[in-house]
Amino acid sequence: MNAPALHSTFATGRDKLLGHLAMVGFAAFVAGSFSFGAIAAPYLSPAALNAARFAIGTGIMAGVALALAGGRIERPRAVWRYGVLGALMAVFFITMFVALRLTDPVSTGAVFTLMPIASAGFGWLFLGQKPRGVVVASLVLAAFGSLWVIFRGDLSAAANLQVGRGELIFFVGVLCHAAYGPLLRRFNRGETGVVFTLWTVAATGLCIALWGWRDIVSTDWASLSPAAWLSIFYLGIFTTGGTFFLTQYASMRLPAAKVLAYTYLTSGFIILYEGLLGHGWASAGVAAGAGITVLGLLVMALARD
């Protein structure tokens, strides 16, 4: 089934609504990974942590696929598709951690806001999707709100942002992630969402394991604390298997420009979680930036494709 056929098949209002809700869940899961990732970070290298989460994510998705398919998983066809998708996501995760060693989280967060706009460009390149003007305007508005949260409303901090080696490295990863969404729809040949997600997660984990095998072998897995294992399982189940499935589900129902725009909600969910956990609420100015992001996404969601 080709991309145009898929576009017409999944064009119902109900499918679009479910696609939007899937990406809200995506943002909620990703936001939770920051708290859980911070717990596991002191015990594991980035390569070992990501390899573990993808191994667990693959196992969970395999179990779900077996349960839904009556004990038999469909063998992957045209394996190269999963290799491409897995390599793109592996590059994203690897460049993120490499960049964080060279620059600060604020700068990487600012580069991250380029992803939805880049995804819109890849959607046009790979699928012929041309976002309407109101969609582009809402993306810009949501990006502004997200940047406001990242810089905590400090205009001087935004003005002093410098583009260095770390930012450029992560920009490559952002472009890979931006291309991933449109290619999910382009590469799908009628596979179910669970099966397609399973092989994509497995391919991503394999690429990361090949990159960081030294760290994986040298990690003392038996001595990890229960809190670290809890964090790894959260990352593996929700932030890996869950988010990959939700992205695949939404990508089959929404234009590329709209799918990754929901990454802008991540900062708002982090503010909410931190407040509920008793770590303090964000200032009114920062919360206003999150509100602007939500407003921009609402306009985007209601706009015609």
Side-chain angles (χ1 to χ4, degrees):
M1 185 179 293
N2 57 30
L6 284 169
H7 183 74
S8 61
T9 301
F10 298 111
T12 67
R14 178 177 177 274
D15 282 326
K16 290 181 180 181
L17 175 60
L18 291 175
H20 287 293
L21 292 176
M23 291 312 295
V24 173
F26 165 92
F29 285 160
V30 170
S33 70
F34 285 85
S35 298
F36 282 99
I39 295 173
Y43 305 97
L44 292 160
S45 68
L49 175 59
N50 277 287
R53 64 182 277 198
F54 275 95
I56 292 171
T58 301
I60 294 297
M61 294 307 300
V64 173
L66 283 171
L68 294 178
R72 182 177 180 275
I73 298 178
E74 178 184 348
R75 289 184 179 182
R77 292 175 283 125
V79 179
W80 64 268
R81 297 175 297 157
Y82 303 105
V84 172
L85 294 172
L88 288 173
M89 291 305 294
V91 170
F92 171 74
F93 286 110
I94 291 170
T95 56
M96 177 194 298
F97 287 110
V98 171
L100 287 172
R101 295 175 181 174
L102 301 173
T103 186
D104 57 85
V106 172
S107 297
T108 55
V111 176
F112 188 73
T113 61
L114 298 172
M115 186 185 299
I117 296 175
S119 183
F122 283 117
W124 170 77
L125 179 64
F126 296 140
L127 302 173
Q129 297 173 345
K130 296 181 180 180
R132 294 165 61 88
V134 66
V135 173
V136 175
S138 63
L139 283 176
V140 173
L141 180 62
F144 174 80
S146 181
L147 285 170
W148 188 266
V149 173
I150 290 170
F151 290 107
R152 299 187 178 276
D154 186 351
L155 295 178
S156 62
N160 292 329
L161 175 66
Q162 295 182 346
V163 178
R165 184 184 174 198
E167 288 80 6
L168 292 175
I169 289 175
F170 186 49
F171 180 62
V172 174
V174 166
L175 289 179
C176 288
H177 197 324
Y180 171 80
L183 285 176
L184 278 174
R185 178 182 287 203
R186 181 78 177 184
F187 286 169
N188 188 276
R189 297 185 180 179
E191 293 92 349
T192 63
V194 172
V195 170
F196 201 81
T197 302
L198 164 63
W199 297 122
T200 304
V201 170
T204 304
L206 177 61
C207 291
I208 291 177
L210 291 174
W211 169 67
W213 67 272
R214 294 180 186 274
D215 290 341
I216 297 170
V217 172
S218 62
T219 298
D220 186 2
W221 298 97
S223 66
L224 294 180
S225 68
W229 278 113
L230 175 64
S231 301
I232 292 172
F233 272 94
Y234 175 87
L235 294 172
I237 296 171
F238 296 102
T239 315
T240 303
T243 58
F244 270 61
F245 175 77
L246 291 173
T247 302
Q248 193 273 342
Y249 183 91
S251 294
M252 299 298 292
R253 290 158 175 80
L254 300 174
K258 292 188 175 184
V259 174
L260 289 182
Y262 282 92
T263 57
Y264 290 147
L265 281 182
T266 301
S267 56
F269 274 113
I270 292 174
I271 291 173
L272 176 62
Y273 293 163
E274 289 297 296
L276 293 175
L277 290 171
H279 298 162
W281 293 94
S283 65
V286 173
I292 292 173
T293 299
V294 173
L295 176 61
L297 293 176
L298 282 175
V299 173
M300 177 205 68
L302 295 174
R304 293 176 58 190
D305 297 343

